[in-house]
């Protein structure tokens, strides 16, 4: 009940726009509280409801034949769920470790030094950043979140988030292995860059506070510039709350003891690893919910329904995008899956699968929830959807093949 | 009550560490039990090994957090103080986290560090969070590992068309030529590349029985799943099988049963794939690698 009320309140209060991002705000504390009210637990609850539903569905059917089938289906669900999870876990833990290392060893100045100021260049840099951090769609999320914490400009992060799953050596190679040199490979790379760049640029107009979760933003306070304060950023939101609830002296005090407790007794790499663990568990929840949804879809919705309705230059693009969204396969291998459809579908429709899929699918949109506000997640789904649809349909109609 | 225990920094650190270790161990058991390939392609086995190492190292790093907490013995007291503040403020246990925190400070500034530590992880997990994360482990342990089977075919097509493109030319040329060593996938691919079965070709293939569109001449489809990366992208390939007299009829064969079929190919059936005329059929145990890889 309270949760529902909280959600309505969740729209960013107008006063925030006036504040600069780096000033510690009383709102920060208030916002955190609001977020708590509607925050994580509800996702857990939602996941459990879905899970419970599956179990109930699987067990409520009574004839022995049906029960056997339901049990088999549940078995299939578990296998697909675990396969998605097991496949994604290595990438997620790798991304988390990179994120932890960034947290400890990269400071804000470094990010600012390497990212161009001009918005066009910045978005372009973001789209190409995948070559520096070769991560797929699961690993990219914790890395992006951490980089935001280090003051990465909004458009760069968005472009990175959307482009990196395709614009990285591994994925380009697997696409090459599947399709060889040709329009599919070049189109995939070029259109992914284009879409990521455009969406990134659109977000140039937005204010980070309205886009990112308070926790993501939490660490972008100037105090973070102290090298040895790095673990501190983890709890930044809290500290801001205190700084305002109590006098500054107290805050100081507490910071000192905090540094003693941690930096003193623990080498940096362990900090990085603990942060990596936190990131993995944090993101893992979204991954698990996403993998479950994808597995349910795969167990319940027949693929043929999608494929049989999906002909014609326009519908087929959307069908391929829907398929990519539902399948939620890792971008490192989706080229091989697209190959299976390359006969039945035109190149334009394949772009729907190969460009849209790595940017957004069930799994990654759930992961986005850990970084962005919900409305932003919606934009991050809809903007690439619209752009890729336009590209795919245009290709089908104009270029053919 | 339980909610409060969970908020203790030590409990958080310990549970998180254990969860990560547990996940690493769970994946490790999948590797050692040989069931890992029920889920992912062989090609990515090394990734899982890397994940196990990563998870164990990360999980162990929480030890340091535990040691740190031991240095500040008063944090438990402060935690309780803070929580009593929160209860007084009338917050619900599940959501009152931050409120409790602030109130606690109003009462006792001195305790802030220990207290802070516990809450400092903006990523503090709730019970539901912990349960959610352990869900793969729980499901993996409760539901015995099984590869995809007949049930998964219910909403998948057995690929006949479209398969010829599954393999790019480069891979296609490395197709196994020795007919007795060809898998179902090899045969299906060969037929789709226009190859005609020679009189001398003897197929010796293993797959599971799928009785779906049985006709007079085709008793069942001998099926395997082809997995590109993980079971989520599994695609079924199958050869229509016609049983010679004297072999167990379709009624005696259980659907999903793994069998080895030896025979020669007859004329092309309805699906465009020559029908395999089984001369020998024997029931075999499920292979260690239930899927085929392109």
């Amino acid at each position: 009940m309270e949760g529902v009320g909280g959600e309505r309140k969740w729209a960013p209060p107008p006063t925030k726009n006036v504040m600069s991002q780096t000033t510690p705000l009383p709102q920060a504390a208030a916002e955190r509280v609001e977020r708590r009210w509607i925050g994580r637990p509800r996702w857990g609850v939602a996941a459990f409801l879905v899970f419970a539903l599956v179990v109930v569905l699987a067990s409520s059917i009574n004839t022995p034949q049906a029960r056997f089938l339901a049990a088999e289906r549940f078995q299939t669900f578990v296998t697909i769920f675990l396969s998605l999870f097991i496949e994604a876990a290595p990438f997620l833990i790798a991304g988390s470790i990179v994120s932890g290392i960034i947290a400890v060893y990269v400071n804000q100045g470094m990010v600012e030094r390497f990212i161009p100021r001009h918005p066009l260049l910045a978005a372009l840099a973001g789209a190409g950043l995948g070559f520096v951090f070769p991560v797929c769609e699961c690993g990219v999320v914790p890395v992006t979140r951490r980089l935001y914490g280090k003051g990465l400009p909004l458009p760069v992060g968005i472009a990175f988030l959307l482009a990196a799953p395709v614009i990285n050596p591994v994925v380009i190679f697997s696409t090459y292995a599947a399709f060889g040199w040709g329009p599919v490979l070049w189109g995939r790379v070029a259109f992914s860059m284009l879409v990521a760049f455009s969406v990134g640029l659109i977000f140039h107009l937005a204010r980070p506070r309205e886009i990112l979760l308070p926790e993501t933003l939490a660490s972008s306070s100037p105090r973070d510039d102290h090298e040895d304060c790095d673990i501190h950023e983890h709890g930044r939101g809290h500290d801001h709350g205190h700084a305002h609830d109590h006098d500054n002296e107290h805050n100081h005090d507490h910071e000192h003891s905090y540094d003693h407790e941690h930096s003193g007794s623990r080498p940096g790499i362990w900090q990085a690893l603990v942060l990596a663990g936190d990131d993995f568990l944090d993101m893992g929840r979204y991954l698990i919910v996403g993998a479950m949804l994808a597995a349910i879809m795969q167990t319940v919705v027949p693929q043929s329904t999608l494929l049989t309705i999906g002909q014609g230059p326009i519908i087929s693009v959307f069908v391929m995008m829907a398929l990519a969204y539902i399948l939620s396969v890792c971008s490192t291998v989706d080229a091989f899956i697209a190959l299976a459809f390359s006969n039945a579908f035109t190149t334009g429709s394949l772009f729907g699968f190969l460009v849209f899929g790595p940017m957004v699918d069930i799994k990654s949109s759930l992961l986005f929830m850990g970084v962005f506000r919900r409305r932003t997640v919606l934009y991050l789904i809809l903007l690439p959807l619209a752009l890729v649809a336009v590209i795919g349909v245009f290709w089908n109609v104009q270029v053919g093949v | 009550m339980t909610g409060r225990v969970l908020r203790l920094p030590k409990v958080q650190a310990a549970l998180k560490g254990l969860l990560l270790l547990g996940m690493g161990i769970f994946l490790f058991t999948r590797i050692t039990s040989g069931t890992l390939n029920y889920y992912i392609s062989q090609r990515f086995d090394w990734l899982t090994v890397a994940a196990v190492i990563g998870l164990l190292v990360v999980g162990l790093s929480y030890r340091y957090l535990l040691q740190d907490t031991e240095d500040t013995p008063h944090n438990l007291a402060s935690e309780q103080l803070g929580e009593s503040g929160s209860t007084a403020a009338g917050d619900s246990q599940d959501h009152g986290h931050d409120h409790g925190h602030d109130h606690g400070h109003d009462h006792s500034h001195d305790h802030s560090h220990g207290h802070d530590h516990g809450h400092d992880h903006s990523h503090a997990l709730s019970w539901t969070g912990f349960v959610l994360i352990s869900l793969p482990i729980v499901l993996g342990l409760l539901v015995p590992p099984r590869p995809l089977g007949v049930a998964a075919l219910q909403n998948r097509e057995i690929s006949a068309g479209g398969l010829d493109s599954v393999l790019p030319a480069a891979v296609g040329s490395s197709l196994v030529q020795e007919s007795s060593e060809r898998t179902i996938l090899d045969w299906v691919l060969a037929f789709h590349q226009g190859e005609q079965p020679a009189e001398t070709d003897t197929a010796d293939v293993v797959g599971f029985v799928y009785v779906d569109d049985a006709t007079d001449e085709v008793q069942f489809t001998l099926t395997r799943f082809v997995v590109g990366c993980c079971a989520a992208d599994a695609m079924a390939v199958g050869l229509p099988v016609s049983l010679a007299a004297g072999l167990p009829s379709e009624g005696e064969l259980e659907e999903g049963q793994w069998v080895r079929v030896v025979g020669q190919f007859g004329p092309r059936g309805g699906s465009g794939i020559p029908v395999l005329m089984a001369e020998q059929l024997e029931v075999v145990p499920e292979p260690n690698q239930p899927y085929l890889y392109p």
Side-chain angles (χ1 to χ4, degrees):
Chain A
M1 228 45 233
E2 291 148 344
V4 178
E7 191 160 47
R8 233 178 282 125
K9 268 194 296 181
W10 204 38
T15 46
K16 269 188 314 199
N17 303 351
V18 201
M19 308 285 187
S20 115
Q21 179 196 330
T22 47
T23 333
L25 301 168
Q27 272 91 342
E31 240 177 68
R32 289 181 56 76
V33 173
E34 273 181 38
R35 165 135 175 76
R36 279 298 143 131
W37 284 75
I38 56 102
R40 272 71 170 267
R42 292 212 327 184
W43 274 108
V45 169
F48 273 116
L49 288 180
V50 170
F51 178 63
L53 196 74
V54 172
V55 175
V56 167
L57 280 181
S59 58
S60 64
I61 313 162
N62 255 337
T63 67
Q65 181 101 32
R67 200 181 304 143
F68 170 76
L69 229 142
E72 288 278 293
R73 283 220 161 177
F74 183 69
Q75 179 80 55
T76 305
F77 159 77
V78 171
T79 302
I80 294 180
F81 164 62
L82 282 179
S83 81
L84 280 170
F85 177 76
I86 292 177
E87 193 221 18
F91 295 101
L92 190 64
I93 190 79
S96 302
I97 290 175
V98 171
S99 146
I101 289 172
I102 292 175
V104 175
Y105 295 106
V106 175
N107 60 23
Q108 231 174 322
M110 287 158 82
V111 173
E112 277 160 13
R113 212 176 324 144
F114 289 113
I115 298 297
R117 287 241 161 264
H118 194 277
L120 283 174
L121 287 178
L124 205 62
L129 209 57
F131 274 105
V132 184
F133 300 104
V135 278
C136 71
E137 69 214 39
C138 297
V140 73
V141 183
V143 173
T144 309
R145 179 164 77 166
R146 188 65 69 190
L147 286 173
Y148 273 140
K150 296 292 181 186
L152 189 76
L154 200 54
V156 184
I158 301 262
F160 173 58
L161 193 69
L162 296 180
V166 171
I167 311 300
N168 77 58
V170 182
V171 175
I172 290 176
F173 181 77
S174 77
T175 313
Y176 164 72
F179 287 96
W181 301 111
V184 176
L185 175 65
W186 295 118
R188 184 180 200 193
V189 171
F191 292 139
S192 297
M193 288 282 271
L194 183 69
V195 171
F197 172 75
S198 320
V199 177
L201 215 55
I202 290 170
F203 276 91
H204 178 66
L205 303 170
R207 289 184 179 77
R209 216 160 244 301
E210 292 166 359
I211 299 299
L212 301 171
L213 291 179
E215 289 172 5
T216 312
L217 262 180
S219 51
S220 50
S221 141
R223 260 195 288 172
D224 250 6
D225 285 357
H226 301 294
E227 289 259 18
D228 56 353
C229 267
D230 263 320
I231 189 155
H232 201 85
E233 60 147 289
H234 213 51
R236 171 69 55 201
H238 267 289
D239 293 328
H240 283 318
H242 296 305
H244 284 265
D245 291 348
H246 318 297
D247 54 1
N248 270 344
E249 211 173 12
H250 156 71
N251 192 48
H252 238 269
D253 224 300
H254 137 226
E255 209 175 339
H256 266 290
S257 60
Y258 196 82
D259 284 344
H260 269 294
E261 253 175 39
H262 291 269
S263 311
S265 59
R266 235 176 336 142
I269 189 67
W270 292 110
Q271 291 180 16
L273 287 175
V274 167
L275 291 179
D278 279 6
D279 259 5
F280 178 84
L281 293 176
D282 204 35
M283 290 285 155
R285 291 175 307 179
Y286 298 99
L287 172 67
I288 286 164
V289 174
M292 263 171 39
L293 288 176
I296 289 171
M297 294 296 282
Q298 282 212 27
T299 323
V300 175
V301 180
Q303 279 178 16
S304 52
T305 0
L306 261 185
L307 297 180
T308 46
I309 55 166
Q311 298 306 325
I314 296 171
I315 305 285
S316 65
V317 176
F318 284 96
V319 165
M320 286 309 272
M321 288 198 288
L323 200 67
Y325 193 80
I326 291 169
L327 285 181
S328 293
V329 255
C330 181
S331 62
T332 48
V333 291
D334 62 352
F336 296 105
I337 294 148
L339 211 44
F341 301 109
S342 63
N343 244 26
F345 286 89
T346 58
T347 307
S349 320
L350 287 184
F351 286 145
F353 189 90
L354 289 171
V355 177
F356 180 70
M359 293 185 179
V360 189
D361 57 35
I362 294 186
K363 182 171 68 159
S364 59
S365 34
L366 261 301
L367 284 169
F368 289 169
M369 298 267 194
V371 183
F372 300 100
R373 291 178 180 275
R374 276 181 211 183
R375 202 150 30 119
T376 316
V377 175
L378 200 64
Y379 291 145
L380 281 179
I381 298 171
L382 293 181
L383 287 173
L385 182 96
L387 289 172
V388 175
V390 168
I391 290 170
V393 172
F394 177 82
W395 189 283
N396 276 347
V397 173
Q398 292 297 319
V399 186
V401 191
Chain B
M1 210 50 214
T2 48
R4 278 179 225 172
V5 173
L6 190 67
R7 274 173 229 145
L8 293 173
K10 237 171 154 180
V11 174
Q12 272 278 336
L15 279 179
K16 282 178 173 180
L18 285 176
L19 204 50
L20 288 162
L21 289 178
M23 191 150 293
I25 292 165
F26 167 68
L27 291 182
F28 183 71
T29 60
R30 284 295 181 253
I31 298 173
T32 51
S33 68
T35 53
L36 183 65
N37 292 129
Y38 291 2
Y39 305 106
I40 60 168
S41 159
Q42 270 176 320
R43 277 190 297 155
F44 297 106
D45 282 1
W46 65 273
L47 277 177
T48 310
V49 175
V52 169
I53 296 170
L55 284 167
L56 293 184
V57 170
V58 169
L60 285 175
S61 69
Y62 279 88
R63 258 186 75 240
Y64 286 77
L65 222 54
L66 287 179
Q67 285 172 349
D68 284 346
T69 333
E70 278 156 16
D71 299 341
T72 52
H74 58 275
N75 66 44
L76 201 132
S78 76
E79 184 74 33
Q80 280 164 354
L81 245 176
E83 285 310 320
S84 67
S86 96
T87 321
D91 287 323
S92 79
Q93 271 196 13
D94 285 336
H95 300 292
H97 189 129
D98 278 64
H99 284 302
H101 189 89
D102 288 339
H103 288 300
H105 272 284
D106 289 342
H107 297 311
S108 56
H109 284 212
D110 286 352
H111 301 295
S112 56
H113 5 126
H115 192 80
D116 235 330
H117 185 138
H119 291 274
D120 227 10
H121 294 273
S122 50
H123 303 189
L125 283 178
S126 59
W127 280 118
T128 45
F130 278 113
V131 176
L132 200 56
I133 295 278
S134 49
L135 208 60
I137 307 176
V138 172
L139 277 180
L141 294 181
L142 287 187
V143 183
R146 286 260 312 276
L148 292 180
V150 173
L153 280 172
Q154 313 257 312
N155 56 352
R156 276 182 179 73
E157 306 278 285
I158 296 186
S159 288
L163 238 193
D164 36 348
S165 58
V166 161
L167 294 185
V171 188
S173 65
S174 69
L175 216 92
V176 184
Q177 291 305 322
E178 189 59 47
S179 65
S180 61
E181 283 173 11
R182 283 185 171 180
T183 63
I184 296 177
L185 177 63
D186 294 326
W187 283 112
V188 172
L189 283 174
F191 293 144
H192 270 278
Q193 285 168 359
E195 195 179 302
Q196 293 296 326
E199 289 291 313
T200 54
D201 275 354
T202 303
D204 182 351
V205 284
V206 173
F208 63 85
V209 176
Y210 179 56
V211 189
D212 186 31
D213 30 34
T215 58
D216 287 345
E217 51 172 326
V218 177
Q219 268 86 38
F220 65 88
T221 309
L222 192 66
T223 316
R224 282 296 272 270
F225 278 103
V226 178
V227 166
C229 107
C230 64
D233 67 60
M235 195 171 42
V237 289
L239 290 173
V241 175
S242 161
L243 296 169
L247 291 175
S249 69
E250 57 178 295
E252 297 165 48
L253 283 171
E254 218 177 297
E255 195 161 56
Q257 175 69 56
W258 284 86
V259 290
R260 172 166 165 246
V261 174
V262 180
Q264 290 183 330
F265 287 99
R268 289 188 179 245
S271 59
I273 294 184
V275 176
L276 176 59
M277 320 292 272
E279 283 144 25
Q280 285 176 46
L281 183 145
E282 57 176 314
V283 170
V284 292
E286 185 182 287
N288 289 331
Q289 303 290 343
Y291 308 133
L292 298 173
Y293 308 104

